[in-house]
Amino acid sequence: MAIYKYLEEIDKQRRQLAANLNTKGVKADEDETLNCLVPKVLQIENNTGTTPKRNLFRYGMPDKYGDTIFTVFQNGIQNLNSYIRNGKKFCCADNQYTISYTQEDFSWDGHVYTASTEPIKVDENTAIVMTYTSGVTEKGEMYLVPADGKSADDTVQNYIYTSIFNGNRYKQKFWWLDCSEFISHLIPCRVPAPGNYYLCWLGRSDNTHPVISDITIIF
């Protein structure tokens, strides 16, 4: 991507974040910098009152999410418990059971599709809040896969995996933002019709090498 296109996209993301914050009841101005806007995502919890929220992942809780979060890497499917049992850095006690895309596990620029087997109800008000660190700012990949398309004789993991590559998914607007400390990034869900969907995203062991500590769905 040309530098000017890259800067244009970052500016577009900044203005969109301001609009998303206002939609969720947090006062924000599109002239504010990303450094000012990103921390305001944390204010959503205080401003949404009894609005339902649901965690798809939270660090330090392998017993709860060890079976529901899985990866597809080099055509192999593994859940978090498998990484933990095998002593992998991707999810371990040393990193407080965050999700960490390291070169040690995936070599340079490994493409690791990661998803939850728990479907979420998505409509025009649904948003994803992902808390992470990232080494650089880079356009990411995030998808919502229709849950109703899974056949009874297919596994959820295989259904999500095949859906990503056969086009049975809806791409969401998502960027990794350069941050050495954890930030919470608000991503509004965009689908053609309300329904149940699976969340999937791409983590890479490149210069981004993100570390994810929390994924919360806001309804």
Side-chain angles (χ1 to χ4, degrees), residues 44-51 53:
I44 294 174
E45 184 172 351
N46 297 326
N47 289 9
T48 53
T50 58
T51 298
K53 295 183 288 291

Side-chain angles (χ1 to χ4, degrees), residues 3 22 52 81 138 146 192-193 215:
I3 294 297
N22 281 307
N81 279 335
E138 183 175 277
I215 303 172

Side-chain angles (χ1 to χ4, degrees), residues 23 50 69 75 89 117 122 150 152 159-160:
T23 298
T50 58
I69 300 294
N75 295 322
K89 295 293 185 182
T117 60
V122 176
K150 190 187 84 66
Y159 171 70
I160 296 173

Side-chain angles (χ1 to χ4, degrees), residues 3 6 13 74 96 112 125 128 136 147 196 198 203:
I3 294 297
Y6 172 84
Q13 292 290 318
Q74 295 181 343
Q96 298 183 297
V112 187
N125 297 314
I128 301 158
V136 296
N196 293 315
Y198 297 110

Side-chain angles (χ1 to χ4, degrees), residues 85-134:
R85 285 195 303 269
N86 291 309
K88 300 297 184 179
K89 295 293 185 182
F90 181 67
C91 188
C92 65
D94 289 346
N95 63 20
Q96 298 183 297
Y97 297 106
T98 54
I99 294 174
S100 182
Y101 298 88
T102 66
Q103 292 183 39
E104 182 174 342
D105 287 338
F106 305 112
S107 300
W108 169 249
D109 200 16
H111 285 51
V112 187
Y113 286 92
T114 314
S116 172
T117 60
E118 296 291 321
I120 57 175
K121 185 174 290 187
V122 176
D123 60 24
E124 61 184 8
N125 297 314
T126 309
I128 301 158
V129 178
M130 180 181 282
T131 303
Y132 64 81
T133 65
S134 175

